[in-house]
Amino acid sequence: MKFENILVEKKDSLAQITINRPKKLNALNKATIVELNAAFEDLEDDENIRAIILTGSGEKAFVAGADISEFADFSVDEGARLSKLGHHTLFDYVDNLSTPVIAAINGFALGGGLELAMSCHFRIASENAKMGLPEVSLGVIPGYGGTQRLPQLVGKGKAMEMIMTAGMISAEDAYRCGLVNHVTAQEELIPLAEKIASKITRNSSVAISAAIRAINAGFEDGINGFDVEIDEFGECFGTDDFVEGTSAFLDKRKPNF
């Protein structure tokens, strides 16, 4: 697929997706969501790729929100379909990828942009980053998982405040409330993401995928995360990575996954 709104780079076992609509502050439109889905599908199927960095082009925005002009005149049914399609095509899809995804938030992450960052497995931010869910100021609520993932990350009370006030928080505030894992200078953002990714890629991708499934299970209604952990733990014993990892440990050498 030829991309018009995103850039995809691969380097050894690491991939980087850059949302590239700088004139629109990288706002999400339908075409960009479709392209992101295609890119993530390709990288998920690439056995050489063991970690993905997601960021925005320029120094102003990760993703400044959704392209409101595309749905301003939608009906109730159209609005529901828009949300459902977005969940399925991108946001839930990223959340459940077996390949780890790091969001490198390089500026504004608002509305759908913050929801996209929250669907990644974890987040780092540059010092100039601003984050928020301003949807209620438009007479709507977050529709791409924001009402669910934000409370999981920052707690119910903080999520209620952020959504109800429609305000933005700084990178430091985001770090203090657990929304992002690290804050760094703009010029160090991608190098830091790459450094963390390199640590991830040295480990067993099979075990990491199992850990993602087990962790996510703990946040799903009707599913006992402990039971999923037990099953995933057991399945690891039947993998080549387990044989290599334990053998390397006993032989006092580095594993070759």
Side-chain angles (χ1 to χ4, degrees):
M1 181 179 184
K2 185 179 180 181
F3 299 131
E4 296 182 358
N5 300 293
I6 66 174
L7 305 172
V8 180
E9 302 172 80
K10 298 180 182 180
K11 183 180 179 182
D12 300 324
S13 58
L14 176 63
Q16 179 174 315
I17 300 175
T18 304
I19 301 166
N20 189 35
R21 302 184 73 213
K23 293 183 179 179
K24 296 287 187 179
L25 294 180
N26 303 324
L28 287 181
N29 59 2
K30 293 178 184 176
T32 304
I33 288 175
V34 169
E35 290 186 15
L36 284 168
N37 171 264
F40 278 116
E41 282 188 343
D42 175 67
L43 296 174
E44 177 81 339
D45 292 339
D46 189 334
E47 293 182 357
N48 295 318
I49 298 302
R50 302 175 71 164
I52 303 168
I53 296 170
L54 176 65
T55 193
S57 63
E59 298 183 351
K60 292 183 178 180
F62 173 75
V63 173
D67 194 332
I68 297 168
S69 63
E70 287 192 335
F71 57 81
D73 59 351
F74 272 19
S75 67
V76 170
D77 288 343
E78 288 172 322
R81 285 197 297 271
L82 175 71
S83 177
K84 187 174 183 178
L85 181 62
H87 278 269
H88 175 74
T89 303
L90 183 58
F91 298 84
D92 289 351
Y93 184 77
V94 172
D95 195 3
N96 291 295
L97 280 182
S98 62
T99 307
V101 184
I102 304 169
I105 303 173
N106 57 305
F108 290 111
L110 304 175
L114 181 55
E115 289 174 301
L116 179 57
M118 290 192 294
S119 73
C120 298
H121 296 114
F122 59 92
R123 291 143 295 285
I124 65 175
S126 57
E127 293 168 337
N128 67 312
K130 300 285 186 182
M131 286 155 261
L133 295 174
E135 284 86 349
V136 297
S137 68
L138 302 173
V140 70
I141 69 169
Y144 288 142
T147 65
Q148 304 305 300
R149 292 190 178 97
L150 187 61
Q152 291 172 4
L153 292 166
V154 306
K156 181 179 178 181
K158 184 64 175 179
M160 286 283 194
E161 178 186 356
M162 287 180 64
I163 291 171
M164 290 180 184
T165 62
M168 293 185 292
I169 63 172
S170 68
E172 286 297 333
D173 285 341
Y175 172 74
R176 280 192 286 268
C177 69
L179 184 53
V180 302
N181 292 31
H182 304 277
V183 176
T184 189
Q186 177 104 41
E187 62 272 17
E188 294 298 323
L189 182 64
I190 298 303
L192 175 59
E194 291 175 342
K195 180 179 179 181
I196 296 171
S198 70
K199 293 181 179 180
I200 291 171
T201 59
R202 289 198 292 267
N203 299 314
S204 164
S205 59
V206 174
I208 287 172
S209 299
I212 290 172
R213 290 189 293 271
I215 292 167
N216 283 346
F219 294 96
E220 295 183 31
D221 289 338
I223 295 180
N224 187 316
F226 291 100
D227 289 341
V228 174
E229 180 186 278
I230 290 167
D231 291 341
E232 293 288 354
F233 178 78
E235 290 293 328
C236 287
F237 282 73
T239 67
D240 292 339
D241 278 12
F242 175 76
V243 174
E244 170 61 16
T246 52
S247 298
F249 179 82
L250 294 173
D251 295 341
K252 297 181 179 180
R253 61 175 175 84
K254 292 183 179 180
N256 182 25
F257 292 119

